Amino acid sequence: MKDESTHHELTTRPGSKGIAPGWAAFEKGLAEVLFGLEEHQYLIISSKRGEAYVQFAAQESFGLRAESVSNNYLPEPDRLRQDQIAALEELGWRHPTWKPRHRKTRQRRVGSPNFFRDFRAPVPCDEIARLAVRTLTEVHGITHPGSLEYEAFQPRRGDLPLPALGLTRRRPAPPPGEPPPGEADRIRGLVREALRNASGCSDLDFDEDGDLGLRFGSAIVFVRVLDEPPCVRVFSPVVAKMNADARPLARLNDLNATVRYARFFVVDDAILASLEVAVSPFVARQVVDSCWLFGHLVDDLGETLREQFGGHTAFGVSGSEPPASPRRRSREPGGRGGGSRGGRKRG
């Protein structure tokens, strides 16, 4: 993280009228609040009327991220003018580095879709509070702290009251078409519990990529919870490292025309299969049965496709006993019905 805490002097501009008393008190309170923010706690300060906001994310030993709204999130009437963008630059804000519509790609994004600055620990809270005040007043034209409100929260722990700010606290509703905050985490817990019960593997869990792995004979099946709208994606690399001259599209077209609940496609040198299960409302049996049907399907097809196009299946052995049906709860750990660390994942 690039340290920007000393790149710009944030004193009041020469010849300006200075900070009004109301802003001075707000700036002091904001500095105190920023000093007290803990890791993964977030603070958003926004205009009661309009779309302007600044926000802060505490990152413990890594410092603090500050952001100011960009045109990526502003409707046409409220978009920043060139003089406002120039003022943000003068205050030291870095330009947005990516578009919010790209946030769901697997590639790790650097920077932010907003204007942003990163401050290393020890965090210069007085300087950041002064930056926020100047941004709100000089760029967005907020005339008094009474025109502001705030929301503060920590994921999975709820809202944070911050009376030292002296602002009205807002509890935002989720944007239309998006699940409520924490909905994906709630569904992830339900999926984990359902698959633990069905497989008999009590330590089955999601990995750092957000995927839960199940072995079905020679196949590895991954389960992932998606949002917007909430659903469960089940996917598997059926065959990897096919022969260089393999031409599987005709075969996959045939499978896609005949198999009802899964779709097959090629990524690089691998044949992948996937399906998606609606989880609103959540029905555990529907998720479990879909995983088991899908798992048996890709296990059955893996050896046939390998013989046709070369390459290998996830575990290289076909015909080993797959997990028991969810109606006959297996108690075998690890490779049979439990979460597996093996296999090649794409999805």
Side-chain angles (χ1 to χ4, degrees):
M1 181 171 66
K2 185 176 180 181
D3 184 10
E4 305 181 23
S5 58
T6 59
H7 286 195
H8 295 267
E9 187 68 25
L10 295 177
T11 56
T12 305
R13 292 178 178 175
S16 69
K17 297 180 181 179
I19 299 176
W23 285 113
F26 168 74
E27 181 181 309
K28 180 180 178 181
L30 176 58
E32 293 176 359
V33 166
L34 293 177
F35 182 79
L37 283 184
E38 300 178 358
E39 186 175 16
H40 303 313
Q41 291 183 344
Y42 301 87
L43 168 64
I44 305 170
I45 297 174
S46 56
S47 172
K48 292 179 180 177
R49 299 176 180 175
E51 304 295 330
Y53 65 81
V54 291
Q55 60 186 13
F56 311 91
Q59 298 172 335
E60 199 64 27
S61 60
F62 293 100
L64 183 139
R65 159 69 63 90
E67 296 187 352
S68 179
V69 65
S70 74
N71 283 338
N72 285 324
Y73 294 106
L74 291 172
E76 188 64 35
D78 298 312
R79 292 177 65 84
L80 297 169
R81 306 181 304 272
Q82 285 302 314
D83 61 314
Q84 291 175 295
I85 294 175
L88 288 166
E89 292 175 344
E90 185 175 346
L91 289 171
W93 292 103
R94 298 176 64 187
H95 278 259
T97 55
W98 52 276
K99 298 289 186 181
R101 65 176 176 270
H102 296 153
R103 67 188 186 280
K104 295 301 179 186
T105 62
R106 287 182 62 83
Q107 179 182 359
R108 184 178 295 276
R109 297 289 174 176
V110 177
S112 171
N114 279 318
F115 289 89
F116 69 99
R117 289 186 62 177
D118 291 315
F119 298 86
R120 288 183 179 174
V123 176
C125 297
D126 291 341
E127 179 182 344
I128 299 171
R130 194 173 310 121
L131 169 66
V133 168
R134 288 192 62 179
T135 301
L136 292 167
T137 57
E138 297 175 15
V139 178
H140 296 293
I142 307 297
T143 58
H144 191 275
S147 299
L148 301 173
E149 58 188 2
Y150 83 94
E151 48 190 297
F153 57 92
Q154 183 169 356
R156 304 182 187 181
R157 295 189 180 180
D159 292 348
L160 298 172
L162 299 174
L165 286 173
L167 301 181
T168 302
R169 182 179 171 195
R170 184 176 71 149
R171 298 178 181 269
E178 295 187 8
E183 180 68 0
D185 289 336
R186 184 186 71 85
I187 293 173
R188 191 174 290 109
L190 293 172
V191 170
R192 178 174 53 224
E193 184 66 20
L195 294 179
R196 282 179 176 179
N197 290 338
S199 67
C201 184
S202 61
D203 61 351
L204 194 64
D205 209 343
F206 292 92
D207 63 18
E208 62 272 13
D209 293 327
D211 299 324
L212 183 151
L214 293 163
R215 180 174 177 176
F216 288 81
S218 64
I220 181 71
V221 170
F222 294 103
V223 182
R224 179 183 300 172
V225 176
L226 306 177
D227 55 16
E228 301 180 15
C231 72
V232 169
R233 174 174 293 166
V234 186
F235 62 98
S236 175
V238 187
V239 174
K241 295 187 177 179
M242 291 184 294
N243 295 335
D245 58 351
R247 298 291 185 270
L249 290 182
R251 174 67 169 128
L252 300 190
N253 286 338
D254 180 61
L255 287 173
N256 286 329
T258 56
V259 175
R260 292 186 178 183
Y261 54 86
R263 290 295 174 262
F264 298 84
F265 49 96
V266 176
V267 176
D268 299 328
D269 60 355
I271 295 176
L272 275 70
S274 74
L275 67 82
E276 293 184 354
V277 184
V279 289
S280 181
F282 181 83
V283 181
R285 175 49 61 86
Q286 180 182 11
V287 172
V288 170
D289 285 354
S290 296
C291 291
W292 256 252
L293 286 169
F294 180 85
H296 287 291
L297 172 70
V298 295
D299 178 40
D300 290 341
L301 285 172
E303 183 64 17
T304 300
L305 294 175
R306 187 198 65 78
E307 290 177 353
Q308 287 183 288
F309 305 111
H312 61 77
T313 54
F315 293 98
V317 178
S318 181
S320 60
E321 183 183 353
S325 163
R327 296 173 181 82
R328 300 186 288 111
R329 291 172 53 185
S330 170
R331 289 294 176 184
E332 297 193 345
R336 296 182 181 176
S340 174
R341 300 295 180 186
R344 185 179 183 188
K345 177 169 55 175
R346 303 185 187 200

